[in-house]
Amino acid sequence: MNNFDFTKAADVESAVSSTQKSKGNKIIAGGTNILDLMKYFVTEADILVDINSIPEIDNITELPDGGISIGSLMTNADTAYHPFIEEKYPLLSKAILAGASAQIRNMATNGGNLLQRTRCYYFYDINTPCNKREPGSGCSAINGYNRIHAILGHNESCIAVFPSDMCVALSALEAVVTVSGPEGERKIEFSDFHRLPGNTPEMDNNLKQGEIITGIELPTKGFSTNYSYLKLRDRASYSFALVSVATGLELENNIMKEARIALGGVAHKPWRVKEAEDFLKGKEATRENFAAAADLILKGASGFEHNSFKIDLAKRSIIRNCMMALDPESQRPGAKPSL
Amino acid sequence: MNITEKKSITLNVNGELHHLEVLPWVSLLDALRERINLTGTKKGCDHGQCGACTVLVDGKRVLSCLSLAVMKENTEITTVEGIAKDGILHPIQQAFIDHDAFQCGYCTPGQICSAIGLLNENKAKTREEVQDLMSGNLCRCGANRGIINAVMAVKENASYE
């Protein structure tokens, strides 16, 4: 790690004013990603600002409209095992528990989960070109080893994927991110939070300098009756997704009143296709209809030398996960290949 | 260039207070091993991938390699050295011996702290769930079956109480 100074922020305002001053002043909460990146010299800091002593962003509060707000400083484990989340938003709970290890979930915070960086090996290797790490230097993955990389939303500047599981569920649940910054508070729809690479792959999201995440709001609708999270990876546990799917369905006599499907591990952000969800609305919950939706979701997908298998894998995962959502009992540990 | 000053901190490790002067980038792992001379906690990958450095902070299992020492003031840190009480092994330690749960032993301190964290959490009900929730600790000798047997034995067998 580079030599840096360390300070603690007593409240959100002082955290904002510290990070607003300089790009080198960075927030540390759980530290599981930033310290790893700093050890590899992918990230450097002048000052790390510790926000762990801000209790008001470390809790769950009910919102007037019936939804809830989850503090950005709550750990992934405390969120996933919170009785309210387990009961009303089991999709979120399952997705969080599919990610990382028990130790990391005990440390990592919800805000940090949203802000984690890609695990593209070239991003991590400071001896290779990478537009995300060093804008303009080129992408080593396009003609390199790209088995874990994107099949959707990529371009010649960057084919990295966003690695979070939690965010795939937040995308399907249409969460809203609340942030505090130099100009006060604002809310960002989840679909607008993360970015596609475009010409600025170094920017993972739309957070501005000095802004920090204070909470994640979940709407009332939690799809707690028909939901499923499926994660496919190279080993049974403690590995990033090759493809993951979050599904939430609202059914009436097997007719879909609403359908949400989000993919992880396939793009620079969680992937949702409204056209596919609209297609399912009003239709019967059958394998055939899910297959047609999967085709719509993967429309325009293209792979590289080592990852084209992900296109078919994603389609089959969508169908399988939607079928599992019809019977959440089928997700008990041992009943799915991911556990 | 920044001139960074050392920070004065107090760490509570295994019930003893240790006053240290550390630079901000010193990990909890390095502070434990190099400054407090508690070398039971092991450095494996130093990147949060292997679990060898697992310790308990306020009863929860965490990775000491991805923790800064300056961020662990006002917590209760327990390392493998603090698990046995008055010369009597913790049930998990005894179960590791009984179930052949290690070979070279390098991952064992982390495995034991992780297993105690798992028992404290009380979320794993089945063997499969124990396997999943112990997956943050790698064993390169392949003693995993013994490790899971040991954890299951403590969970299920009253004689380990």
Side-chain angles (χ1 to χ4, degrees), chain A residues 282-309:
Chain A
K283 291 203 172 58
E284 212 177 331
T286 62
R287 184 174 292 273
E288 291 67 33
N289 283 330
F290 294 137
D295 284 337
L296 289 171
I297 293 169
L298 273 297
K299 201 167 70 180
S302 65
F304 299 87
E305 188 179 354
H306 308 103
N307 73 345
S308 294
F309 73 96

PDB file of all heavy atoms in Angstrom, chain A residues 282-309:
ATOM      1  N   GLY A 282     -49.175 -10.557 -17.808  1.00  0.00           N
ATOM      2  CA  GLY A 282     -50.448 -11.044 -18.330  1.00  0.00           C
ATOM      3  C   GLY A 282     -50.365 -12.426 -18.934  1.00  0.00           C
ATOM      4  O   GLY A 282     -51.373 -12.976 -19.382  1.00  0.00           O
ATOM      5  N   LYS A 283     -49.171 -12.990 -18.993  1.00  0.00           N
ATOM      6  CA  LYS A 283     -49.027 -14.327 -19.576  1.00  0.00           C
ATOM      7  C   LYS A 283     -48.934 -15.386 -18.482  1.00  0.00           C
ATOM      8  O   LYS A 283     -48.666 -15.099 -17.327  1.00  0.00           O
ATOM      9  CB  LYS A 283     -47.781 -14.378 -20.454  1.00  0.00           C
ATOM     10  CG  LYS A 283     -47.896 -13.545 -21.714  1.00  0.00           C
ATOM     11  CD  LYS A 283     -46.951 -14.034 -22.787  1.00  0.00           C
ATOM     12  CE  LYS A 283     -47.196 -13.320 -24.106  1.00  0.00           C
ATOM     13  NZ  LYS A 283     -47.051 -11.848 -24.016  1.00  0.00           N
ATOM     14  N   GLU A 284     -49.152 -16.633 -18.926  1.00  0.00           N
ATOM     15  CA  GLU A 284     -49.056 -17.742 -17.993  1.00  0.00           C
ATOM     16  C   GLU A 284     -47.583 -18.007 -17.644  1.00  0.00           C
ATOM     17  O   GLU A 284     -46.697 -17.825 -18.489  1.00  0.00           O
ATOM     18  CB  GLU A 284     -49.663 -18.996 -18.640  1.00  0.00           C
ATOM     19  CG  GLU A 284     -50.307 -19.923 -17.647  1.00  0.00           C
ATOM     20  CD  GLU A 284     -50.969 -21.112 -18.330  1.00  0.00           C
ATOM     21  OE1 GLU A 284     -51.410 -20.972 -19.497  1.00  0.00           O
ATOM     22  OE2 GLU A 284     -51.024 -22.177 -17.692  1.00  0.00           O
ATOM     23  N   ALA A 285     -47.348 -18.428 -16.411  1.00  0.00           N
ATOM     24  CA  ALA A 285     -45.978 -18.706 -15.966  1.00  0.00           C
ATOM     25  C   ALA A 285     -45.551 -20.080 -16.438  1.00  0.00           C
ATOM     26  O   ALA A 285     -45.649 -21.064 -15.710  1.00  0.00           O
ATOM     27  CB  ALA A 285     -45.883 -18.600 -14.445  1.00  0.00           C
ATOM     28  N   THR A 286     -45.107 -20.141 -17.686  1.00  0.00           N
ATOM     29  CA  THR A 286     -44.688 -21.425 -18.254  1.00  0.00           C
ATOM     30  C   THR A 286     -43.239 -21.343 -18.722  1.00  0.00           C
ATOM     31  O   THR A 286     -42.711 -20.263 -18.980  1.00  0.00           O
ATOM     32  CB  THR A 286     -45.525 -21.799 -19.495  1.00  0.00           C
ATOM     33  OG1 THR A 286     -45.296 -20.786 -20.495  1.00  0.00           O
ATOM     34  CG2 THR A 286     -47.010 -21.859 -19.158  1.00  0.00           C
ATOM     35  N   ARG A 287     -42.642 -22.515 -18.856  1.00  0.00           N
ATOM     36  CA  ARG A 287     -41.264 -22.621 -19.340  1.00  0.00           C
ATOM     37  C   ARG A 287     -41.122 -21.938 -20.709  1.00  0.00           C
ATOM     38  O   ARG A 287     -40.136 -21.247 -20.968  1.00  0.00           O
ATOM     39  CB  ARG A 287     -40.890 -24.110 -19.434  1.00  0.00           C
ATOM     40  CG  ARG A 287     -39.477 -24.410 -19.830  1.00  0.00           C
ATOM     41  CD  ARG A 287     -39.191 -25.907 -19.734  1.00  0.00           C
ATOM     42  NE  ARG A 287     -39.192 -26.382 -18.364  1.00  0.00           N
ATOM     43  CZ  ARG A 287     -38.115 -26.359 -17.564  1.00  0.00           C
ATOM     44  NH1 ARG A 287     -36.971 -25.895 -18.019  1.00  0.00           N
ATOM     45  NH2 ARG A 287     -38.188 -26.798 -16.325  1.00  0.00           N
ATOM     46  N   GLU A 288     -42.127 -22.113 -21.564  1.00  0.00           N
ATOM     47  CA  GLU A 288     -42.057 -21.546 -22.914  1.00  0.00           C
ATOM     48  C   GLU A 288     -42.005 -20.018 -22.869  1.00  0.00           C
ATOM     49  O   GLU A 288     -41.232 -19.384 -23.584  1.00  0.00           O
ATOM     50  CB  GLU A 288     -43.274 -21.990 -23.753  1.00  0.00           C
ATOM     51  CG  GLU A 288     -43.300 -23.470 -24.109  1.00  0.00           C
ATOM     52  CD  GLU A 288     -43.488 -24.399 -22.903  1.00  0.00           C
ATOM     53  OE1 GLU A 288     -44.189 -23.998 -21.941  1.00  0.00           O
ATOM     54  OE2 GLU A 288     -42.912 -25.506 -22.914  1.00  0.00           O
ATOM     55  N   ASN A 289     -42.866 -19.444 -22.010  1.00  0.00           N
ATOM     56  CA  ASN A 289     -42.871 -17.983 -21.908  1.00  0.00           C
ATOM     57  C   ASN A 289     -41.566 -17.455 -21.308  1.00  0.00           C
ATOM     58  O   ASN A 289     -41.047 -16.422 -21.734  1.00  0.00           O
ATOM     59  CB  ASN A 289     -44.077 -17.510 -21.088  1.00  0.00           C
ATOM     60  CG  ASN A 289     -45.359 -17.567 -21.911  1.00  0.00           C
ATOM     61  OD1 ASN A 289     -45.318 -17.414 -23.140  1.00  0.00           O
ATOM     62  ND2 ASN A 289     -46.487 -17.816 -21.255  1.00  0.00           N
ATOM     63  N   PHE A 290     -41.038 -18.181 -20.317  1.00  0.00           N
ATOM     64  CA  PHE A 290     -39.757 -17.759 -19.739  1.00  0.00           C
ATOM     65  C   PHE A 290     -38.642 -17.852 -20.775  1.00  0.00           C
ATOM     66  O   PHE A 290     -37.736 -17.013 -20.823  1.00  0.00           O
ATOM     67  CB  PHE A 290     -39.413 -18.601 -18.504  1.00  0.00           C
ATOM     68  CG  PHE A 290     -40.354 -18.389 -17.339  1.00  0.00           C
ATOM     69  CD1 PHE A 290     -40.826 -19.466 -16.598  1.00  0.00           C
ATOM     70  CD2 PHE A 290     -40.770 -17.105 -16.988  1.00  0.00           C
ATOM     71  CE1 PHE A 290     -41.686 -19.266 -15.526  1.00  0.00           C
ATOM     72  CE2 PHE A 290     -41.640 -16.900 -15.913  1.00  0.00           C
ATOM     73  CZ  PHE A 290     -42.096 -17.979 -15.185  1.00  0.00           C
ATOM     74  N   ALA A 291     -38.716 -18.887 -21.616  1.00  0.00           N
ATOM     75  CA  ALA A 291     -37.700 -19.048 -22.658  1.00  0.00           C
ATOM     76  C   ALA A 291     -37.754 -17.888 -23.654  1.00  0.00           C
ATOM     77  O   ALA A 291     -36.717 -17.367 -24.084  1.00  0.00           O
ATOM     78  CB  ALA A 291     -37.890 -20.384 -23.383  1.00  0.00           C
ATOM     79  N   ALA A 292     -38.983 -17.469 -23.979  1.00  0.00           N
ATOM     80  CA  ALA A 292     -39.127 -16.336 -24.909  1.00  0.00           C
ATOM     81  C   ALA A 292     -38.585 -15.057 -24.267  1.00  0.00           C
ATOM     82  O   ALA A 292     -37.927 -14.234 -24.922  1.00  0.00           O
ATOM     83  CB  ALA A 292     -40.600 -16.162 -25.291  1.00  0.00           C
ATOM     84  N   ALA A 293     -38.841 -14.899 -22.950  1.00  0.00           N
ATOM     85  CA  ALA A 293     -38.307 -13.725 -22.245  1.00  0.00           C
ATOM     86  C   ALA A 293     -36.783 -13.768 -22.219  1.00  0.00           C
ATOM     87  O   ALA A 293     -36.117 -12.735 -22.397  1.00  0.00           O
ATOM     88  CB  ALA A 293     -38.853 -13.669 -20.819  1.00  0.00           C
ATOM     89  N   ALA A 294     -36.231 -14.966 -22.020  1.00  0.00           N
ATOM     90  CA  ALA A 294     -34.770 -15.109 -21.983  1.00  0.00           C
ATOM     91  C   ALA A 294     -34.159 -14.679 -23.315  1.00  0.00           C
ATOM     92  O   ALA A 294     -33.118 -14.001 -23.349  1.00  0.00           O
ATOM     93  CB  ALA A 294     -34.388 -16.549 -21.657  1.00  0.00           C
ATOM     94  N   ASP A 295     -34.830 -15.034 -24.422  1.00  0.00           N
ATOM     95  CA  ASP A 295     -34.325 -14.610 -25.736  1.00  0.00           C
ATOM     96  C   ASP A 295     -34.324 -13.089 -25.851  1.00  0.00           C
ATOM     97  O   ASP A 295     -33.398 -12.495 -26.415  1.00  0.00           O
ATOM     98  CB  ASP A 295     -35.179 -15.224 -26.854  1.00  0.00           C
ATOM     99  CG  ASP A 295     -34.865 -16.700 -27.062  1.00  0.00           C
ATOM    100  OD1 ASP A 295     -33.745 -17.123 -26.679  1.00  0.00           O
ATOM    101  OD2 ASP A 295     -35.735 -17.433 -27.591  1.00  0.00           O
ATOM    102  N   LEU A 296     -35.373 -12.457 -25.311  1.00  0.00           N
ATOM    103  CA  LEU A 296     -35.434 -10.995 -25.370  1.00  0.00           C
ATOM    104  C   LEU A 296     -34.331 -10.360 -24.514  1.00  0.00           C
ATOM    105  O   LEU A 296     -33.724  -9.362 -24.895  1.00  0.00           O
ATOM    106  CB  LEU A 296     -36.803 -10.499 -24.883  1.00  0.00           C
ATOM    107  CG  LEU A 296     -37.993 -10.758 -25.797  1.00  0.00           C
ATOM    108  CD1 LEU A 296     -39.305 -10.411 -25.098  1.00  0.00           C
ATOM    109  CD2 LEU A 296     -37.850  -9.949 -27.099  1.00  0.00           C
ATOM    110  N   ILE A 297     -34.069 -10.974 -23.357  1.00  0.00           N
ATOM    111  CA  ILE A 297     -33.055 -10.406 -22.459  1.00  0.00           C
ATOM    112  C   ILE A 297     -31.657 -10.514 -23.069  1.00  0.00           C
ATOM    113  O   ILE A 297     -30.831  -9.616 -22.926  1.00  0.00           O
ATOM    114  CB  ILE A 297     -33.102 -11.106 -21.074  1.00  0.00           C
ATOM    115  CG1 ILE A 297     -34.420 -10.761 -20.364  1.00  0.00           C
ATOM    116  CG2 ILE A 297     -31.922 -10.695 -20.200  1.00  0.00           C
ATOM    117  CD1 ILE A 297     -34.716 -11.586 -19.130  1.00  0.00           C
ATOM    118  N   LEU A 298     -31.421 -11.620 -23.778  1.00  0.00           N
ATOM    119  CA  LEU A 298     -30.083 -11.826 -24.345  1.00  0.00           C
ATOM    120  C   LEU A 298     -29.953 -11.280 -25.766  1.00  0.00           C
ATOM    121  O   LEU A 298     -28.938 -11.506 -26.432  1.00  0.00           O
ATOM    122  CB  LEU A 298     -29.728 -13.325 -24.318  1.00  0.00           C
ATOM    123  CG  LEU A 298     -29.071 -13.856 -23.036  1.00  0.00           C
ATOM    124  CD1 LEU A 298     -27.727 -13.172 -22.813  1.00  0.00           C
ATOM    125  CD2 LEU A 298     -29.929 -13.699 -21.802  1.00  0.00           C
ATOM    126  N   LYS A 299     -31.000 -10.559 -26.218  1.00  0.00           N
ATOM    127  CA  LYS A 299     -30.957  -9.998 -27.570  1.00  0.00           C
ATOM    128  C   LYS A 299     -29.741  -9.078 -27.687  1.00  0.00           C
ATOM    129  O   LYS A 299     -29.498  -8.234 -26.841  1.00  0.00           O
ATOM    130  CB  LYS A 299     -32.243  -9.214 -27.842  1.00  0.00           C
ATOM    131  CG  LYS A 299     -32.547  -9.033 -29.317  1.00  0.00           C
ATOM    132  CD  LYS A 299     -33.979  -8.540 -29.517  1.00  0.00           C
ATOM    133  CE  LYS A 299     -34.132  -7.101 -29.026  1.00  0.00           C
ATOM    134  NZ  LYS A 299     -35.503  -6.589 -29.208  1.00  0.00           N
ATOM    135  N   GLY A 300     -28.968  -9.259 -28.736  1.00  0.00           N
ATOM    136  CA  GLY A 300     -27.800  -8.402 -28.949  1.00  0.00           C
ATOM    137  C   GLY A 300     -26.570  -8.849 -28.187  1.00  0.00           C
ATOM    138  O   GLY A 300     -25.524  -8.197 -28.264  1.00  0.00           O
ATOM    139  N   ALA A 301     -26.675  -9.953 -27.432  1.00  0.00           N
ATOM    140  CA  ALA A 301     -25.505 -10.424 -26.680  1.00  0.00           C
ATOM    141  C   ALA A 301     -24.416 -10.890 -27.630  1.00  0.00           C
ATOM    142  O   ALA A 301     -24.695 -11.474 -28.677  1.00  0.00           O
ATOM    143  CB  ALA A 301     -25.916 -11.567 -25.751  1.00  0.00           C
ATOM    144  N   SER A 302     -23.179 -10.599 -27.271  1.00  0.00           N
ATOM    145  CA  SER A 302     -22.070 -11.129 -28.056  1.00  0.00           C
ATOM    146  C   SER A 302     -20.904 -11.440 -27.133  1.00  0.00           C
ATOM    147  O   SER A 302     -20.630 -10.697 -26.185  1.00  0.00           O
ATOM    148  CB  SER A 302     -21.645 -10.143 -29.146  1.00  0.00           C
ATOM    149  OG  SER A 302     -21.131  -8.971 -28.564  1.00  0.00           O
ATOM    150  N   GLY A 303     -20.246 -12.551 -27.421  1.00  0.00           N
ATOM    151  CA  GLY A 303     -19.155 -12.995 -26.560  1.00  0.00           C
ATOM    152  C   GLY A 303     -17.800 -12.771 -27.194  1.00  0.00           C
ATOM    153  O   GLY A 303     -17.689 -12.264 -28.314  1.00  0.00           O
ATOM    154  N   PHE A 304     -16.774 -13.173 -26.467  1.00  0.00           N
ATOM    155  CA  PHE A 304     -15.406 -13.086 -26.950  1.00  0.00           C
ATOM    156  C   PHE A 304     -14.830 -14.500 -26.999  1.00  0.00           C
ATOM    157  O   PHE A 304     -15.563 -15.473 -26.839  1.00  0.00           O
ATOM    158  CB  PHE A 304     -14.597 -12.145 -26.042  1.00  0.00           C
ATOM    159  CG  PHE A 304     -15.162 -10.747 -26.046  1.00  0.00           C
ATOM    160  CD1 PHE A 304     -16.172 -10.388 -25.162  1.00  0.00           C
ATOM    161  CD2 PHE A 304     -14.734  -9.819 -26.978  1.00  0.00           C
ATOM    162  CE1 PHE A 304     -16.729  -9.119 -25.183  1.00  0.00           C
ATOM    163  CE2 PHE A 304     -15.286  -8.538 -27.010  1.00  0.00           C
ATOM    164  CZ  PHE A 304     -16.286  -8.189 -26.119  1.00  0.00           C
ATOM    165  N   GLU A 305     -13.505 -14.606 -27.145  1.00  0.00           N
ATOM    166  CA  GLU A 305     -12.925 -15.930 -27.394  1.00  0.00           C
ATOM    167  C   GLU A 305     -13.316 -16.979 -26.339  1.00  0.00           C
ATOM    168  O   GLU A 305     -13.581 -18.119 -26.666  1.00  0.00           O
ATOM    169  CB  GLU A 305     -11.393 -15.825 -27.487  1.00  0.00           C
ATOM    170  CG  GLU A 305     -10.763 -17.152 -27.931  1.00  0.00           C
ATOM    171  CD  GLU A 305      -9.249 -17.056 -28.056  1.00  0.00           C
ATOM    172  OE1 GLU A 305      -8.699 -15.948 -27.914  1.00  0.00           O
ATOM    173  OE2 GLU A 305      -8.629 -18.110 -28.287  1.00  0.00           O
ATOM    174  N   HIS A 306     -13.341 -16.571 -25.059  1.00  0.00           N
ATOM    175  CA  HIS A 306     -13.516 -17.581 -24.013  1.00  0.00           C
ATOM    176  C   HIS A 306     -14.855 -17.526 -23.282  1.00  0.00           C
ATOM    177  O   HIS A 306     -15.072 -18.293 -22.361  1.00  0.00           O
ATOM    178  CB  HIS A 306     -12.396 -17.456 -22.982  1.00  0.00           C
ATOM    179  CG  HIS A 306     -11.028 -17.445 -23.569  1.00  0.00           C
ATOM    180  ND1 HIS A 306     -10.277 -16.297 -23.715  1.00  0.00           N
ATOM    181  CD2 HIS A 306     -10.289 -18.456 -24.093  1.00  0.00           C
ATOM    182  CE1 HIS A 306      -9.126 -16.592 -24.290  1.00  0.00           C
ATOM    183  NE2 HIS A 306      -9.102 -17.892 -24.534  1.00  0.00           N
ATOM    184  N   ASN A 307     -15.728 -16.588 -23.636  1.00  0.00           N
ATOM    185  CA  ASN A 307     -16.934 -16.454 -22.795  1.00  0.00           C
ATOM    186  C   ASN A 307     -18.260 -16.569 -23.551  1.00  0.00           C
ATOM    187  O   ASN A 307     -19.305 -16.282 -22.972  1.00  0.00           O
ATOM    188  CB  ASN A 307     -16.892 -15.134 -22.016  1.00  0.00           C
ATOM    189  CG  ASN A 307     -17.160 -13.917 -22.902  1.00  0.00           C
ATOM    190  OD1 ASN A 307     -17.100 -14.017 -24.118  1.00  0.00           O
ATOM    191  ND2 ASN A 307     -17.464 -12.800 -22.284  1.00  0.00           N
ATOM    192  N   SER A 308     -18.220 -16.999 -24.807  1.00  0.00           N
ATOM    193  CA  SER A 308     -19.474 -17.087 -25.553  1.00  0.00           C
ATOM    194  C   SER A 308     -20.444 -18.086 -24.932  1.00  0.00           C
ATOM    195  O   SER A 308     -21.666 -17.984 -25.115  1.00  0.00           O
ATOM    196  CB  SER A 308     -19.202 -17.460 -27.016  1.00  0.00           C
ATOM    197  OG  SER A 308     -18.498 -16.389 -27.633  1.00  0.00           O
ATOM    198  N   PHE A 309     -19.894 -19.041 -24.185  1.00  0.00           N
ATOM    199  CA  PHE A 309     -20.762 -20.023 -23.504  1.00  0.00           C
ATOM    200  C   PHE A 309     -21.754 -19.353 -22.566  1.00  0.00           C
ATOM    201  O   PHE A 309     -22.800 -19.907 -22.236  1.00  0.00           O
ATOM    202  CB  PHE A 309     -19.909 -21.036 -22.726  1.00  0.00           C
ATOM    203  CG  PHE A 309     -19.282 -20.469 -21.474  1.00  0.00           C
ATOM    204  CD1 PHE A 309     -19.893 -20.650 -20.244  1.00  0.00           C
ATOM    205  CD2 PHE A 309     -18.091 -19.747 -21.527  1.00  0.00           C
ATOM    206  CE1 PHE A 309     -19.325 -20.129 -19.070  1.00  0.00           C
ATOM    207  CE2 PHE A 309     -17.524 -19.219 -20.369  1.00  0.00           C
ATOM    208  CZ  PHE A 309     -18.147 -19.402 -19.141  1.00  0.00           C
TER     209      PHE A 309
END
